[in-house]
Amino acid sequence: MHTFQSLQSPNFRRYFIGHSLSTLGTWIQQVALAWIIYELTNSAALLGVIGFCALIPQLVVSPIAGAWIDKLNKQKLLLIIQILLFLQTCLLGLLYRFDLFTPTVLISMSLLLGILTAIDTPLRQSLLSLIVEDKALLPNALALNAMIFNASRFIGPPIAGLLLSLIGAEMCFYLNALSYLCLGIAVMQMRHIEVVKVQGRVGAVFIEGLKYVYQKPYFRLLMSTVIVLNLTASSYVTLLPIYAKDIIQGDEKTLGILWGFAGIGSLISSLRLASRQDFSDPKILFSVNIACCIMGLLILGLSDAMWLLCCAMFLLGFGISTTNILTNILIQNATVETLRGRAISIYTSTRFGFDALGGLLVGLLAAWFMPSYVMLVYSALLMLYLLRFLSIKMPEY
């Protein structure tokens, strides 16, 4: 099938399997941790702070990491990062076992995870261009890479809800730790990867990457769309435990179901992009998916019916995922290999960094106002951006 054609590459096939297991473990841990935090503290603000700490290093560390990545052997560096993630997650399980989950500990561990992820994410994205031999298949590989995340987002939360009730949170952490080793083994088995390095001081390499991205109107428009969408629409993730426990009066399985519907939308989005050949006119695609996010936020603001909230999760998962994956594909298609690590690190820092800022802000707002009111305001802000986006011409790259 055309949708899965990049799996013809042996190296990408190994990566696909290892990354699938790793991402599934990550989602299981994320749902388990969110439920534990809210169950222990009943604090929307703490949910926002911890989510912020896990993501904000993307905004600060990722751009610098991109310059570093372009100077080093990406395969060896990715293996080292997987080992460090394994150790961090095992430590998290031990801290939970000995009842050491204080706010300070949770914030510190979230920051550590965020720093490692800030290196891991652009590193994996930039490595894809080296492990896919046929460069014409790179957009398909990028979409399938996103499909891994989105399929895990669909499968992981319901599994997490079930595992929480059957084996407890500690085992969820250890399962995630083992999943990082799966990707590490896959990376070790990759063969004949071309090493592409740039020369020069890290500072100069970093500045060169910033100029490359932000001096181009095409890239600036893509980045502004990612910023607005992740500040507003993506903030629903922080509020999901509140919707599941307080608004719907549900339990951890309810949280898993809501997250799962967002995952279904994201999965369908990535499959559609994987089967797409032409990305020459993305404006309509961007506009439709921003509109999906607006509808999802409106439903969250106006309804407390379980089936409608599931619809909202689907729309948000679909719209956010399509916009983020499409931006990644467009940036990688327009970027030369020697600048790829830096361009992707700037994209990931923008995406996840403003996701972190949005999560922190919505957590603080939800501590003062009803979550539904916050979602209505965010839908109005996103509508204003959509009107502006429709009024301008898409720049050429």
Side-chain angles (χ1 to χ4, degrees), residues 7 28 34 45 63 65 110 113 120 128 130 140 162 174 196 210 225 245 302 325-327 390:
L7 290 175
I28 291 173
S110 295
L113 176 62
D120 177 70
L128 287 177
L130 301 179
N140 178 260
L162 182 61
Y174 296 146
V196 180
L210 284 179
T225 302
K245 186 174 182 182
L302 297 173
I325 298 169
L326 179 60
T327 301
L390 290 170

Side-chain angles (χ1 to χ4, degrees), residues 129-149:
S129 64
L130 301 179
I131 63 177
V132 177
E133 291 83 359
D134 185 353
K135 302 309 175 187
L137 298 180
L138 181 58
N140 178 260
L142 291 169
L144 289 182
N145 183 61
M147 186 201 73
I148 294 171
F149 177 85

Side-chain angles (χ1 to χ4, degrees), residues 21-215:
L21 295 172
S22 175
T23 308
L24 178 61
T26 299
W27 269 103
I28 291 173
Q29 174 178 299
Q30 183 172 339
V31 175
L33 192 58
W35 180 260
I36 290 167
I37 292 167
Y38 194 64
E39 188 176 48
L40 291 175
T41 66
N42 286 310
S43 173
L46 185 59
L47 281 173
V49 169
I50 289 174
F52 171 80
C53 290
L55 292 175
I56 194 58
Q58 296 273 5
L59 185 61
V60 179
V61 176
S62 277
I64 300 172
W68 190 39
I69 288 167
D70 278 339
K71 289 175 61 63
L72 298 175
N73 185 307
K74 295 181 175 69
Q75 183 181 10
K76 291 181 180 178
L77 182 58
L78 184 58
L79 177 59
I80 293 170
I81 294 297
Q82 300 316 303
I83 295 172
L84 293 175
L85 285 166
F86 167 80
L87 295 173
Q88 188 270 348
T89 309
C90 286
L91 178 58
L92 197 62
L94 291 172
L95 289 169
Y96 178 76
R97 179 180 182 83
F98 293 104
D99 295 323
L100 297 175
F101 264 19
T102 64
T104 302
V105 167
L106 288 168
I107 290 171
S108 300
M109 293 300 292
S110 295
L111 276 172
L112 176 58
L113 176 62
I115 292 169
L116 293 173
T117 305
I119 302 171
D120 177 70
T121 303
L123 178 57
R124 283 187 290 99
Q125 294 283 348
S126 60
L127 184 66
L128 287 177
S129 64
L130 301 179
I131 63 177
V132 177
E133 291 83 359
D134 185 353
K135 302 309 175 187
L137 298 180
L138 181 58
N140 178 260
L142 291 169
L144 289 182
N145 183 61
M147 186 201 73
I148 294 171
F149 177 85
N150 294 326
S152 299
R153 189 180 184 180
F154 164 52
I155 300 170
I159 292 176
L162 182 61
L163 289 177
L164 273 171
S165 61
L166 291 178
I167 63 175
E170 183 183 355
M171 289 305 300
C172 290
F173 297 135
Y174 296 146
L175 285 174
N176 185 37
L178 288 174
S179 75
Y180 287 124
L181 292 184
C182 293
L183 180 55
I185 292 170
V187 172
M188 289 176 62
Q189 292 178 338
M190 293 178 184
R191 298 290 182 267
H192 310 299
I193 296 180
E194 180 185 1
V195 178
V196 180
K197 300 180 182 180
V198 298
Q199 303 298 319
R201 294 181 295 107
V202 172
V205 172
F206 169 64
I207 292 172
E208 182 186 18
L210 284 179
K211 289 181 178 179
Y212 179 80
V213 172
Y214 285 110
Q215 287 182 352

Side-chain angles (χ1 to χ4, degrees), residues 351-371:
R351 174 185 173 182
F352 295 106
F354 282 91
D355 195 350
L357 292 172
L360 176 65
L361 180 60
V362 81
L364 296 174
L365 290 173
W368 290 92
F369 306 101
M370 289 287 291

